[in-house]
Amino acid sequence: MNAQRRFEPGSGHSDDLWVFAYGSLMWRPGFDFAEQVPARLIGEHRALCVYSFDHRGTPERPGLVLGLDRGGACRGIAFRVAASRREATIAYLRGREQTTHVYREVMRSVWLNDDARRRVGALAYVVDRGHVQYAGRLTIAEQVRYVRQGHGRSGHNRDYVLSTVRSIEAQGFRDPKLHLLAEFLRDDTPERG
């Protein structure tokens, strides 16, 4: 069962923090962590369903980035952050992930793919379907067009997609929809904005 509550960090919280990564956080977490474990989240799936107006695009020429959208399951990485780094990590993630508030910051149950097959509560960023940047389900042709044009303060959208695919492959699995998009992008030269 997914925990559906909004994430509240609570001042002085003494527990370690788990963070579920499914996109760029897998290959560029940007925060100190004590452990990383392959993990699975049930109830939401990885989808290229967010127009990027900042990191990988602009409002005039949006790119596309990943979000957790309802239904299915998602394989990714769970990072364990020491309790002493909890507040700093949450502040960093909010600055990175919440620039336009397209995500809901929530706790979700994730299953760790370790020897004990533990279930932990992890901080996750789930797309807000009511936000103007929610792209919904786009055709592969539409995805290719947005990704090819996208360029923002974090670089080319194409690089974001291909880096995510490489990270998924390094974990030993495939994401069929993302891999199909990557095939269309591999031989492209990123468009210059």
Side-chain angles (χ1 to χ4, degrees):
M1 298 283 169
N2 277 339
Q4 296 294 326
R5 65 190 185 279
R6 185 186 185 295
F7 177 69
E8 297 294 338
S11 69
H13 204 289
S14 62
D15 294 337
D16 289 350
L17 172 71
W18 286 93
V19 177
F20 182 71
Y22 57 89
S24 63
L25 286 176
M26 291 190 301
W27 46 272
R28 189 175 58 87
F31 55 86
D32 293 330
F33 56 89
E35 179 181 11
Q36 73 178 50
V37 182
R40 184 180 193 93
L41 183 146
I42 308 289
E44 278 133 356
H45 65 283
R46 177 188 299 106
L48 208 56
C49 65
V50 176
Y51 294 118
S52 179
F53 294 168
D54 183 12
H55 287 286
R56 300 292 174 168
T58 64
E60 300 76 29
R61 290 176 59 91
L64 277 178
V65 293
L66 294 164
L68 286 175
D69 204 357
R70 73 173 71 134
C74 181
R75 291 173 69 176
I77 296 173
F79 292 99
R80 182 174 60 81
V81 176
S84 62
R85 300 290 308 150
R86 182 183 182 91
E87 297 302 322
T89 301
I90 292 166
Y92 166 76
L93 289 170
R94 284 180 175 164
R96 174 175 167 169
E97 300 297 321
Q98 295 292 72
T99 59
T100 62
H101 300 283
V102 68
Y103 299 108
R104 291 181 296 113
E105 185 179 73
V106 297
M107 291 299 286
R108 290 290 188 261
S109 290
V110 298
W111 283 258
L112 304 181
N113 191 20
D114 60 6
D115 292 338
R117 304 247 180 226
R118 298 174 282 166
R119 185 175 82 174
V120 299
L123 175 60
Y125 289 90
V126 175
V127 68
D128 177 355
R129 286 179 151 221
H131 197 281
V132 67
Q133 287 176 251
Y134 178 64
R137 290 184 173 199
L138 300 174
T139 67
I140 190 71
E142 290 170 319
Q143 290 178 24
V144 168
R145 182 171 60 84
Y146 281 110
V147 171
R148 283 181 178 160
Q149 82 176 9
H151 183 269
R153 69 179 165 121
S154 294
H156 290 285
N157 201 171
R158 175 185 175 274
D159 297 339
Y160 166 88
V161 171
L162 295 179
S163 293
T164 302
V165 166
R166 281 192 296 275
S167 181
I168 289 169
E169 290 172 345
Q171 295 175 62
F173 69 95
R174 292 179 62 81
D175 182 311
K177 291 179 182 177
L178 210 52
H179 275 76
L180 177 61
L181 176 61
E183 289 305 312
F184 285 99
L185 299 173
R186 286 200 198 279
D187 296 326
D188 289 348
T189 300
E191 287 188 16
R192 305 290 174 196

